[in-house]
Amino acid sequence: MIKWTTLRTVILTMETEILVADLYNWKDASVTASALLKDGQVVALPSETVYGLAASIYEEEALDYIFEAKGRPSYDPLIVHIGEVSDLSKVAEISDELKPIVNLLTETFWPGPLTLVLPKKKEISNTITSGLDTVAVRLPENEILRETCKIAGPLAAPSANRFGSISPTSASAVFKELNGLIPLIVDGGASREGIESTIIKPSPAPAEGKKPIFTLLRPGATTREELRKIGKIEKPKPPKKDSTESIKVDAPGMLDSHYAPKTPLYLFNSFEEFKPEEGKKYGLFTLKGEDGMYFKKHAWDEVMTLSPGNGKTKEGAVRFFWAMRQLDEKGLDAIIAEPMNTANIGEAMMDRLRRAAVNC
Ligand code: TXA
Ligand code: MG
């Protein structure tokens, strides 16, 4: 594993190039990124959810470097991205019992923001799975990422931010997080969904005539409402206290504080819990802005509105992490987040707000 001291040397020498991929050159951008990936390097690529920090699943040193560059603990496993459904057999070992359910899920939701946790192929590196016997896989919709997966994949890729900080939905956000640590960021524009993929672990129906079970490990851009049409959604079993084994078995990345701005963010059950202090600057993070519940209740120093007017959650999601980043850079003493409806992608946004909040 590369030591932090070695990494510091890399920081001083590495120049991070931003390669803009447009309608005409996106395939070339993918070829450039693929050459670096095949050479064992780590590069940032766009996706429809958030930008990813990618390495070939066959390049062990590059996989280690993902953890180093992100400052991510080794117990938090990575998602593998594939370029076509047939590549699933390169990473997962799917039993005959599970096959029809996996087929139904991939036919319904892929390419797209749904990650499946499946029994792993034994060749898959423990660095990717953090030693688990399962692997998380998705077939992304973003064409640049998919094409790169076809040429140089499968690719392991977490979100391209430092561990615990705000997920990046643009190349400039990745640059702020990882400048000097990686050779290339492919700029594919703003992420179309704006929130990470939904992660489920599918299991067979408990009895004939019943729906298969989807254990929801992380709400995301594929909604509960969409998944419910073909399966029964269950919560993961609560982890046993003080057991590292339980961290492994349930949802590793879900236990930590995540997605947090540097400015403390608060999420209250009711506005009355907010006790502003004299002389302090407060920013409001709101879906509906003027039409929301909090807007008129305080003289805010800054307001960031995700979807003015009707407050459409789908539109709000696209701007969610971008807006959080903007507020974080305003020099505020605290950010107050207005709660939102948890229907559809609102569930994932509330999940991220709870994880970002210092009081939840
Ligand atoms: O939309 C996304 O999923 C983005 C893009 C880049 O694809 N990726 C992403 O990766 O959000 P990351 O590393 O930030 O989050 C992946 C989550 C982690 O919380 C990790 O714990 C979980 O996936 N995970 C990975 N493998 C797992 C496994 N075998 N079992 C349970 N959870 C797993
Ligand atoms: Mg992440």
Side-chain angles (χ1 to χ4, degrees), residues 191-338:
S191 296
R192 210 174 57 77
E193 299 282 353
I195 293 276
E196 294 88 345
S197 64
T198 301
I199 308 180
I200 61 166
K201 185 174 187 179
S203 24
E208 235 184 74
K210 297 261 186 206
K211 283 179 173 174
I213 308 286
F214 302 153
T215 304
L216 183 62
L217 300 177
R218 178 177 74 183
T222 298
T223 65
R224 176 184 290 270
E225 288 81 352
E226 290 170 299
L227 286 164
R228 236 188 340 229
K229 290 183 187 152
I230 58 169
K232 182 168 184 288
I233 297 171
E234 289 192 352
K235 283 189 195 152
K237 290 180 210 93
K240 286 168 228 137
K241 266 202 175 140
D242 302 329
S243 154
T244 44
E245 187 56 22
S246 66
I247 292 177
K248 278 178 157 189
V249 173
D250 293 301
M254 304 301 286
L255 296 176
D256 302 293
S257 142
H258 253 77
Y259 317 103
K262 291 179 191 77
T263 315
L265 182 146
Y266 293 87
L267 182 65
F268 298 115
N269 289 321
S270 76
F271 186 78
E272 284 58 50
E273 289 175 33
F274 172 43
K275 307 271 182 253
E277 289 174 37
E278 194 67 40
K280 291 214 164 159
K281 287 184 168 180
Y282 296 98
L284 176 65
F285 186 82
T286 162
L287 179 69
K288 298 183 181 179
E290 287 185 39
D291 294 332
M293 300 173 291
Y294 285 12
F295 186 86
K296 297 190 179 84
K297 292 194 173 171
H298 182 80
W300 304 102
D301 292 281
E302 297 284 344
V303 176
M304 197 54 76
T305 305
L306 301 184
S307 173
N310 288 339
K312 293 202 183 333
T313 46
K314 184 96 177 139
E315 180 181 298
V318 177
R319 292 158 55 86
F320 184 86
F321 286 126
W322 172 84
M324 203 184 271
R325 254 173 210 282
Q326 298 293 311
L327 268 187
D328 201 15
E329 288 173 7
K330 301 282 186 196
L332 297 162
D333 291 295
I335 297 170
I336 309 302
E338 187 178 68

